[in-house]
Amino acid sequence: MATRWWRWLRCYFSGPAARSSGPGCGDRAGPPGPRATSDGRTTQMPYFNLVKNLTSAFPNVHSISWFHHKTPSVCCCSKTQSGEKYTDPFKLGWRDLKGLYEDIRKELLISTTELKEMSEYYFDGKGKAFRPIIVVLMARACNIHHNNSRDMQASQRSIALIAEMIHTASLVHDDVIDDASSRRGKHTVNKIWGEKKAVLAGDLILSAASIALARIGNTTVISILTQVIEDLVRGEFLQLGSKENENERFAHYLEKTFKKTASLIANSCKAVSVLGCPDPVVHEIAYQYGKNVGIAFQLIDDVLDFTSCSDQMGKPTSADLKLGLATGPVLFACQQFPEMNAMIMRRFSLPGDVDRARQYVLQSDGVQQTTYLAQRYCHEAVREISKLRQSPERDALIQLSEIVLARDK
């Protein structure tokens, strides 16, 4: 049965041809593959249908046990059609992001000195700007694909600013919920100004992002990015809860990961594609790329919580365990060390739980299996974005998926 699960997963991630034929991909029972549209194209099964089927199609199987076998490393490298070397995605993206943080601070029109300091605190130019980079690269890739336009609309660049503002507001709120004391190598807003004022600062950043979004004037785009805010809230609620049923835990974890991290990237990519191209097929490509890269980004972040040091991360490691969270490495590890299930259910609250759980993870292949899963998501992201016409920006997005996997902070 585990082999059957694994064959289906490989088929799902390998593309329409593999999912419709080949060993283990035929008429066997299991989650449905792609749906055919009226013109013969195939579309990817919606993400939450995938999550649902991962835990419901085979109710008697542990939801992640099929990963536990020797798996070769997967590389999602893909050469450009021209065979040229990839362009540095950050160097390429920053051409459109000059003055990013100055422009964001202009959106935060605040007269109160203290509130201004709090709201601008993380817009200091020291962040990775990962989300804005993806957004502007996707905008140009979609524009070139549509009509070979080498220009980017001002409204598309605005989406990059809005995405960074929504992300930063979520960080301020998360730090309050988690009672975090450090982020990006410095004290958090709540640590300096207190929880109540930090909540208000996060709210203000969100309101400024909403005003900027309204100015774009496209109701479809407004609806797309409003979904992100709803997902962030729902994702936080998912993180506050846990599943007693071991079979449901991994689906719960992936759904939380999508809502808290990947939804913003996926929907921001979709928003700029809507502004630059009328083809819904392109909108879906942009969304799927952002979704898969976003999930992979968080999976690697969860790995780094066990493998990186505090100085590299800019925040304490093992933070998730201390918050009572069972991330990918933990969920994989408990397949080898079932005694971890009790710790998961009590959210690592007893003395010694955090240290013991960390040791179990490091003794297991949980880190490797989570990394492998991230590779599979990046592979799917590359498969999606490769459907667009070749361009430096498209190739930079392919390279960005490699950077996600290789990062150490």
Short mmCIF file of all heavy atoms in Angstrom, two decimals, residues 14-72:
data_model
loop_
_atom_site.label_atom_id
_atom_site.label_comp_id
_atom_site.label_asym_id
_atom_site.label_seq_id
_atom_site.Cartn_x
_atom_site.Cartn_y
_atom_site.Cartn_z
N SER A 14 4.73 14.46 -11.75
CA SER A 14 5.53 14.25 -12.96
C SER A 14 4.89 14.80 -14.22
O SER A 14 5.45 14.69 -15.28
CB SER A 14 5.80 12.76 -13.14
OG SER A 14 6.53 12.27 -12.05
N GLY A 15 3.70 15.34 -14.13
CA GLY A 15 3.10 15.94 -15.31
C GLY A 15 1.98 15.09 -15.88
O GLY A 15 1.83 13.92 -15.56
N PRO A 16 1.19 15.65 -16.79
CA PRO A 16 0.02 14.98 -17.33
C PRO A 16 0.33 13.65 -17.98
O PRO A 16 -0.39 12.68 -17.82
CB PRO A 16 -0.52 15.99 -18.35
CG PRO A 16 -0.02 17.31 -17.89
CD PRO A 16 1.31 17.03 -17.27
N ALA A 17 1.44 13.56 -18.74
CA ALA A 17 1.73 12.31 -19.43
C ALA A 17 1.95 11.19 -18.45
O ALA A 17 1.45 10.08 -18.59
CB ALA A 17 2.96 12.50 -20.32
N ALA A 18 2.73 11.49 -17.41
CA ALA A 18 3.01 10.44 -16.42
C ALA A 18 1.79 10.08 -15.62
O ALA A 18 1.62 8.95 -15.20
CB ALA A 18 4.13 10.92 -15.49
N ARG A 19 0.91 11.08 -15.37
CA ARG A 19 -0.26 10.79 -14.56
C ARG A 19 -1.31 10.00 -15.32
O ARG A 19 -2.15 9.34 -14.74
CB ARG A 19 -0.87 12.10 -14.05
CG ARG A 19 -0.04 12.75 -12.98
CD ARG A 19 -0.87 13.77 -12.24
NE ARG A 19 -1.26 14.88 -13.07
CZ ARG A 19 -0.50 15.96 -13.28
NH1 ARG A 19 0.67 16.05 -12.71
NH2 ARG A 19 -0.94 16.94 -14.04
N SER A 20 -1.27 10.07 -16.67
CA SER A 20 -2.30 9.37 -17.43
C SER A 20 -1.87 7.99 -17.89
O SER A 20 -2.68 7.21 -18.35
CB SER A 20 -2.67 10.22 -18.66
OG SER A 20 -1.53 10.42 -19.48
N SER A 21 -0.59 7.70 -17.80
CA SER A 21 -0.13 6.39 -18.24
C SER A 21 1.13 6.02 -17.51
O SER A 21 1.73 6.81 -16.81
CB SER A 21 0.14 6.41 -19.76
OG SER A 21 1.17 7.35 -20.05
N GLY A 22 1.57 4.78 -17.69
CA GLY A 22 2.81 4.35 -17.07
C GLY A 22 2.55 3.55 -15.82
O GLY A 22 1.43 3.45 -15.33
N PRO A 23 3.60 2.93 -15.26
CA PRO A 23 3.47 2.08 -14.08
C PRO A 23 2.85 2.82 -12.92
O PRO A 23 3.31 3.89 -12.53
CB PRO A 23 4.93 1.68 -13.79
CG PRO A 23 5.65 1.89 -15.07
CD PRO A 23 4.97 3.03 -15.75
N GLY A 24 1.81 2.24 -12.37
CA GLY A 24 1.22 2.80 -11.17
C GLY A 24 0.35 4.01 -11.41
O GLY A 24 -0.17 4.60 -10.49
N CYS A 25 0.14 4.39 -12.68
CA CYS A 25 -0.61 5.61 -12.96
C CYS A 25 -1.86 5.35 -13.78
O CYS A 25 -2.48 6.28 -14.26
CB CYS A 25 0.27 6.61 -13.72
SG CYS A 25 1.76 7.04 -12.83
N GLY A 26 -2.21 4.13 -13.95
CA GLY A 26 -3.33 3.81 -14.81
C GLY A 26 -4.65 3.91 -14.11
O GLY A 26 -4.99 4.92 -13.52
N ASP A 27 -5.43 2.85 -14.13
CA ASP A 27 -6.77 2.89 -13.59
C ASP A 27 -6.85 2.46 -12.13
O ASP A 27 -7.90 2.12 -11.63
CB ASP A 27 -7.70 1.99 -14.43
CG ASP A 27 -7.82 2.47 -15.86
OD1 ASP A 27 -7.76 3.70 -16.04
OD2 ASP A 27 -7.97 1.64 -16.76
N ARG A 28 -5.73 2.46 -11.45
CA ARG A 28 -5.75 2.05 -10.05
C ARG A 28 -6.48 3.10 -9.22
O ARG A 28 -6.55 4.26 -9.57
CB ARG A 28 -4.33 1.84 -9.51
CG ARG A 28 -3.48 3.07 -9.50
CD ARG A 28 -2.11 2.77 -8.90
NE ARG A 28 -1.32 1.89 -9.75
CZ ARG A 28 -1.02 0.66 -9.39
NH1 ARG A 28 -1.45 0.16 -8.25
NH2 ARG A 28 -0.28 -0.09 -10.17
N ALA A 29 -6.99 2.64 -8.07
CA ALA A 29 -7.71 3.57 -7.18
C ALA A 29 -6.74 4.59 -6.62
O ALA A 29 -5.58 4.31 -6.39
CB ALA A 29 -8.37 2.80 -6.05
N GLY A 30 -7.25 5.78 -6.38
CA GLY A 30 -6.40 6.81 -5.78
C GLY A 30 -6.92 8.18 -6.12
O GLY A 30 -7.92 8.32 -6.82
N PRO A 31 -6.26 9.19 -5.63
CA PRO A 31 -6.70 10.56 -5.88
C PRO A 31 -6.75 10.83 -7.37
O PRO A 31 -5.92 10.35 -8.13
CB PRO A 31 -5.62 11.41 -5.19
CG PRO A 31 -5.06 10.50 -4.15
CD PRO A 31 -5.10 9.13 -4.75
N PRO A 32 -7.71 11.61 -7.82
CA PRO A 32 -7.85 11.88 -9.24
C PRO A 32 -6.70 12.69 -9.78
O PRO A 32 -6.08 13.47 -9.08
CB PRO A 32 -9.16 12.68 -9.32
CG PRO A 32 -9.29 13.32 -7.97
CD PRO A 32 -8.70 12.32 -7.01
N GLY A 33 -6.43 12.52 -11.06
CA GLY A 33 -5.38 13.27 -11.73
C GLY A 33 -5.94 14.56 -12.28
O GLY A 33 -6.90 15.11 -11.78
N PRO A 34 -5.35 15.07 -13.37
CA PRO A 34 -5.79 16.34 -13.92
C PRO A 34 -7.15 16.22 -14.57
O PRO A 34 -7.55 15.17 -15.02
CB PRO A 34 -4.69 16.67 -14.96
CG PRO A 34 -4.16 15.33 -15.35
CD PRO A 34 -4.24 14.48 -14.11
N ARG A 35 -7.87 17.35 -14.64
CA ARG A 35 -9.17 17.37 -15.29
C ARG A 35 -9.02 17.91 -16.69
O ARG A 35 -8.26 18.85 -16.94
CB ARG A 35 -10.14 18.28 -14.51
CG ARG A 35 -10.37 17.85 -13.09
CD ARG A 35 -11.46 18.71 -12.47
NE ARG A 35 -11.15 20.12 -12.55
CZ ARG A 35 -10.38 20.75 -11.67
NH1 ARG A 35 -9.85 20.09 -10.69
NH2 ARG A 35 -10.16 22.04 -11.80
N ALA A 36 -9.74 17.34 -17.63
CA ALA A 36 -9.69 17.80 -19.00
C ALA A 36 -10.67 18.95 -19.19
O ALA A 36 -11.79 18.92 -18.70
CB ALA A 36 -10.03 16.67 -19.96
N THR A 37 -10.24 19.96 -19.93
CA THR A 37 -11.12 21.08 -20.25
C THR A 37 -11.73 20.84 -21.62
O THR A 37 -11.37 19.90 -22.32
CB THR A 37 -10.34 22.40 -20.26
OG1 THR A 37 -9.28 22.30 -21.21
CG2 THR A 37 -9.72 22.68 -18.90
N SER A 38 -12.65 21.71 -22.03
CA SER A 38 -13.38 21.51 -23.28
C SER A 38 -12.47 21.53 -24.50
O SER A 38 -12.79 20.93 -25.52
CB SER A 38 -14.46 22.59 -23.42
OG SER A 38 -13.86 23.88 -23.38
N ASP A 39 -11.33 22.22 -24.42
CA ASP A 39 -10.44 22.28 -25.59
C ASP A 39 -9.31 21.26 -25.51
O ASP A 39 -8.34 21.33 -26.24
CB ASP A 39 -9.85 23.68 -25.72
CG ASP A 39 -9.05 24.09 -24.50
OD1 ASP A 39 -8.98 23.30 -23.54
OD2 ASP A 39 -8.50 25.21 -24.52
N GLY A 40 -9.45 20.30 -24.59
CA GLY A 40 -8.49 19.21 -24.52
C GLY A 40 -7.33 19.43 -23.59
O GLY A 40 -6.53 18.54 -23.37
N ARG A 41 -7.19 20.67 -23.03
CA ARG A 41 -6.11 20.91 -22.09
C ARG A 41 -6.40 20.22 -20.77
O ARG A 41 -7.53 19.89 -20.46
CB ARG A 41 -5.95 22.42 -21.84
CG ARG A 41 -5.40 23.19 -23.01
CD ARG A 41 -5.26 24.67 -22.67
NE ARG A 41 -6.55 25.31 -22.53
CZ ARG A 41 -7.10 25.61 -21.37
NH1 ARG A 41 -6.50 25.31 -20.23
NH2 ARG A 41 -8.28 26.22 -21.31
N THR A 42 -5.35 20.03 -19.99
CA THR A 42 -5.53 19.46 -18.66
C THR A 42 -5.18 20.51 -17.63
O THR A 42 -4.32 21.35 -17.84
CB THR A 42 -4.62 18.23 -18.45
OG1 THR A 42 -3.27 18.61 -18.70
CG2 THR A 42 -5.03 17.10 -19.37
N THR A 43 -5.89 20.46 -16.52
CA THR A 43 -5.63 21.42 -15.45
C THR A 43 -5.28 20.68 -14.19
O THR A 43 -5.75 19.56 -13.95
CB THR A 43 -6.86 22.31 -15.18
OG1 THR A 43 -7.95 21.47 -14.82
CG2 THR A 43 -7.22 23.12 -16.42
N GLN A 44 -4.45 21.30 -13.38
CA GLN A 44 -4.01 20.68 -12.13
C GLN A 44 -5.15 20.56 -11.15
O GLN A 44 -6.01 21.43 -11.07
CB GLN A 44 -2.91 21.56 -11.53
CG GLN A 44 -2.09 20.90 -10.45
CD GLN A 44 -1.26 19.76 -10.98
OE1 GLN A 44 -1.76 18.65 -11.11
NE2 GLN A 44 0.00 20.02 -11.28
N MET A 45 -5.20 19.47 -10.40
CA MET A 45 -6.19 19.31 -9.36
C MET A 45 -6.00 20.41 -8.32
O MET A 45 -4.88 20.69 -7.92
CB MET A 45 -6.01 17.94 -8.69
CG MET A 45 -7.00 17.67 -7.57
SD MET A 45 -6.92 15.97 -7.04
CE MET A 45 -5.23 15.83 -6.54
N PRO A 46 -7.08 21.11 -7.91
CA PRO A 46 -6.93 22.17 -6.92
C PRO A 46 -6.19 21.68 -5.68
O PRO A 46 -6.33 20.54 -5.27
CB PRO A 46 -8.38 22.54 -6.59
CG PRO A 46 -9.15 22.13 -7.80
CD PRO A 46 -8.46 20.91 -8.32
N TYR A 47 -5.42 22.61 -5.07
CA TYR A 47 -4.54 22.23 -3.96
C TYR A 47 -5.27 21.53 -2.83
O TYR A 47 -4.83 20.51 -2.33
CB TYR A 47 -3.85 23.48 -3.43
CG TYR A 47 -3.03 23.19 -2.22
CD1 TYR A 47 -1.81 22.53 -2.32
CD2 TYR A 47 -3.48 23.53 -0.95
CE1 TYR A 47 -1.07 22.24 -1.20
CE2 TYR A 47 -2.74 23.25 0.17
CZ TYR A 47 -1.54 22.61 0.04
OH TYR A 47 -0.80 22.31 1.13
N PHE A 48 -6.42 22.06 -2.43
CA PHE A 48 -7.06 21.48 -1.27
C PHE A 48 -7.72 20.15 -1.59
O PHE A 48 -7.92 19.33 -0.72
CB PHE A 48 -8.05 22.47 -0.64
CG PHE A 48 -7.34 23.60 0.00
CD1 PHE A 48 -7.46 24.88 -0.49
CD2 PHE A 48 -6.49 23.38 1.07
CE1 PHE A 48 -6.76 25.92 0.08
CE2 PHE A 48 -5.80 24.42 1.65
CZ PHE A 48 -5.94 25.70 1.15
N ASN A 49 -8.06 19.92 -2.89
CA ASN A 49 -8.51 18.58 -3.27
C ASN A 49 -7.37 17.59 -3.11
O ASN A 49 -7.56 16.45 -2.71
CB ASN A 49 -9.01 18.57 -4.71
CG ASN A 49 -10.36 19.24 -4.83
OD1 ASN A 49 -10.98 19.56 -3.83
ND2 ASN A 49 -10.81 19.47 -6.06
N LEU A 50 -6.15 18.06 -3.45
CA LEU A 50 -4.99 17.20 -3.26
C LEU A 50 -4.81 16.86 -1.79
O LEU A 50 -4.65 15.70 -1.42
CB LEU A 50 -3.73 17.91 -3.78
CG LEU A 50 -2.38 17.26 -3.41
CD1 LEU A 50 -2.29 15.86 -3.98
CD2 LEU A 50 -1.24 18.12 -3.89
N VAL A 51 -4.84 17.87 -0.93
CA VAL A 51 -4.68 17.64 0.50
C VAL A 51 -5.76 16.70 1.02
O VAL A 51 -5.49 15.77 1.78
CB VAL A 51 -4.73 18.98 1.26
CG1 VAL A 51 -4.78 18.74 2.76
CG2 VAL A 51 -3.51 19.81 0.93
N LYS A 52 -6.99 16.96 0.59
CA LYS A 52 -8.11 16.13 1.04
C LYS A 52 -7.91 14.68 0.63
O LYS A 52 -8.08 13.76 1.42
CB LYS A 52 -9.41 16.68 0.46
CG LYS A 52 -10.65 15.89 0.87
CD LYS A 52 -11.89 16.51 0.25
CE LYS A 52 -13.13 15.72 0.63
NZ LYS A 52 -14.34 16.29 0.00
N ASN A 53 -7.52 14.48 -0.63
CA ASN A 53 -7.36 13.12 -1.12
C ASN A 53 -6.15 12.42 -0.53
O ASN A 53 -6.13 11.20 -0.39
CB ASN A 53 -7.28 13.13 -2.65
CG ASN A 53 -8.65 13.29 -3.29
OD1 ASN A 53 -9.47 12.39 -3.23
ND2 ASN A 53 -8.89 14.45 -3.88
N LEU A 54 -5.12 13.19 -0.17
CA LEU A 54 -3.94 12.58 0.44
C LEU A 54 -4.30 11.85 1.73
O LEU A 54 -3.66 10.90 2.11
CB LEU A 54 -2.88 13.64 0.73
CG LEU A 54 -2.03 14.09 -0.46
CD1 LEU A 54 -1.12 15.22 -0.04
CD2 LEU A 54 -1.24 12.95 -1.05
N THR A 55 -5.32 12.34 2.42
CA THR A 55 -5.68 11.72 3.70
C THR A 55 -6.95 10.90 3.65
O THR A 55 -7.25 10.18 4.59
CB THR A 55 -5.84 12.80 4.78
OG1 THR A 55 -6.75 13.79 4.32
CG2 THR A 55 -4.51 13.43 5.11
N SER A 56 -7.73 11.04 2.56
CA SER A 56 -9.00 10.32 2.51
C SER A 56 -9.00 9.14 1.54
O SER A 56 -9.77 8.20 1.72
CB SER A 56 -10.13 11.28 2.13
OG SER A 56 -9.94 11.78 0.83
N ALA A 57 -8.16 9.17 0.53
CA ALA A 57 -8.20 8.11 -0.47
C ALA A 57 -7.78 6.77 0.12
O ALA A 57 -8.30 5.72 -0.26
CB ALA A 57 -7.30 8.47 -1.65
N PHE A 58 -6.82 6.79 1.05
CA PHE A 58 -6.36 5.57 1.69
C PHE A 58 -6.42 5.76 3.20
O PHE A 58 -5.41 6.01 3.85
CB PHE A 58 -4.93 5.24 1.26
CG PHE A 58 -4.79 5.04 -0.22
CD1 PHE A 58 -4.24 6.04 -0.99
CD2 PHE A 58 -5.21 3.89 -0.84
CE1 PHE A 58 -4.10 5.88 -2.35
CE2 PHE A 58 -5.08 3.72 -2.19
CZ PHE A 58 -4.53 4.71 -2.97
N PRO A 59 -7.61 5.69 3.79
CA PRO A 59 -7.78 6.04 5.20
C PRO A 59 -7.01 5.16 6.16
O PRO A 59 -6.78 5.54 7.29
CB PRO A 59 -9.29 5.90 5.41
CG PRO A 59 -9.75 4.99 4.33
CD PRO A 59 -8.87 5.27 3.16
N ASN A 60 -6.58 3.99 5.74
CA ASN A 60 -5.89 3.08 6.65
C ASN A 60 -4.37 3.22 6.61
O ASN A 60 -3.65 2.47 7.24
CB ASN A 60 -6.25 1.62 6.31
CG ASN A 60 -7.73 1.35 6.53
OD1 ASN A 60 -8.31 1.87 7.48
ND2 ASN A 60 -8.34 0.58 5.66
N VAL A 61 -3.89 4.21 5.83
CA VAL A 61 -2.46 4.39 5.69
C VAL A 61 -2.03 5.66 6.41
O VAL A 61 -2.71 6.68 6.32
CB VAL A 61 -2.07 4.51 4.19
CG1 VAL A 61 -0.57 4.69 4.04
CG2 VAL A 61 -2.53 3.27 3.44
N HIS A 62 -0.91 5.60 7.14
CA HIS A 62 -0.38 6.84 7.74
C HIS A 62 -0.07 7.80 6.62
O HIS A 62 0.53 7.45 5.62
CB HIS A 62 0.90 6.53 8.54
CG HIS A 62 0.62 5.85 9.83
ND1 HIS A 62 -0.01 6.47 10.88
CD2 HIS A 62 0.87 4.59 10.25
CE1 HIS A 62 -0.14 5.63 11.89
NE2 HIS A 62 0.40 4.49 11.53
N SER A 63 -0.47 9.05 6.80
CA SER A 63 -0.47 9.99 5.69
C SER A 63 0.91 10.31 5.14
O SER A 63 1.02 10.79 4.03
CB SER A 63 -1.14 11.30 6.12
OG SER A 63 -0.47 11.86 7.22
N ILE A 64 1.98 10.04 5.88
CA ILE A 64 3.30 10.33 5.33
C ILE A 64 4.20 9.11 5.32
O ILE A 64 5.37 9.22 4.99
CB ILE A 64 3.99 11.47 6.11
CG1 ILE A 64 4.13 11.12 7.59
CG2 ILE A 64 3.28 12.78 5.94
CD1 ILE A 64 4.92 12.13 8.37
N SER A 65 3.67 7.95 5.64
CA SER A 65 4.53 6.77 5.72
C SER A 65 5.10 6.39 4.37
O SER A 65 6.15 5.76 4.29
CB SER A 65 3.74 5.59 6.30
OG SER A 65 2.65 5.26 5.46
N TRP A 66 4.42 6.78 3.28
CA TRP A 66 4.91 6.40 1.97
C TRP A 66 6.20 7.10 1.58
O TRP A 66 6.82 6.76 0.59
CB TRP A 66 3.85 6.66 0.90
CG TRP A 66 2.99 7.84 1.15
CD1 TRP A 66 1.77 7.85 1.75
CD2 TRP A 66 3.27 9.19 0.82
NE1 TRP A 66 1.28 9.13 1.81
CE2 TRP A 66 2.16 9.97 1.25
CE3 TRP A 66 4.33 9.83 0.20
CZ2 TRP A 66 2.10 11.33 1.08
CZ3 TRP A 66 4.27 11.20 0.03
CH2 TRP A 66 3.16 11.92 0.47
N PHE A 67 6.61 8.10 2.34
CA PHE A 67 7.88 8.74 2.05
C PHE A 67 9.07 7.95 2.60
O PHE A 67 10.20 8.21 2.27
CB PHE A 67 7.92 10.15 2.67
CG PHE A 67 7.43 11.21 1.74
CD1 PHE A 67 6.19 11.77 1.94
CD2 PHE A 67 8.20 11.62 0.69
CE1 PHE A 67 5.73 12.76 1.09
CE2 PHE A 67 7.76 12.61 -0.17
CZ PHE A 67 6.52 13.17 0.04
N HIS A 68 8.80 6.99 3.48
CA HIS A 68 9.91 6.36 4.20
C HIS A 68 10.48 5.18 3.45
O HIS A 68 10.19 4.02 3.69
CB HIS A 68 9.46 5.96 5.61
CG HIS A 68 9.36 7.14 6.49
ND1 HIS A 68 10.43 7.69 7.15
CD2 HIS A 68 8.31 7.96 6.76
CE1 HIS A 68 10.05 8.76 7.81
NE2 HIS A 68 8.77 8.94 7.59
N HIS A 69 11.29 5.51 2.49
CA HIS A 69 12.09 4.54 1.77
C HIS A 69 13.25 5.32 1.21
O HIS A 69 13.30 6.53 1.29
CB HIS A 69 11.29 3.87 0.65
CG HIS A 69 10.81 4.82 -0.38
ND1 HIS A 69 11.56 5.17 -1.47
CD2 HIS A 69 9.66 5.54 -0.46
CE1 HIS A 69 10.90 6.05 -2.20
NE2 HIS A 69 9.75 6.30 -1.60
N LYS A 70 14.22 4.64 0.63
CA LYS A 70 15.37 5.34 0.10
C LYS A 70 14.97 6.08 -1.18
O LYS A 70 14.55 5.47 -2.15
CB LYS A 70 16.51 4.35 -0.21
CG LYS A 70 17.01 3.61 1.03
CD LYS A 70 17.58 4.58 2.05
CE LYS A 70 18.11 3.85 3.28
NZ LYS A 70 18.63 4.76 4.30
N THR A 71 15.11 7.38 -1.15
CA THR A 71 14.72 8.16 -2.32
C THR A 71 15.91 8.91 -2.86
O THR A 71 16.70 9.47 -2.10
CB THR A 71 13.64 9.20 -1.94
OG1 THR A 71 14.11 9.96 -0.83
CG2 THR A 71 12.34 8.53 -1.59
N PRO A 72 16.07 8.91 -4.18
CA PRO A 72 17.19 9.67 -4.75
C PRO A 72 16.94 11.15 -4.61
O PRO A 72 15.80 11.60 -4.54
CB PRO A 72 17.15 9.25 -6.24
CG PRO A 72 15.71 8.91 -6.49
CD PRO A 72 15.21 8.31 -5.20
#
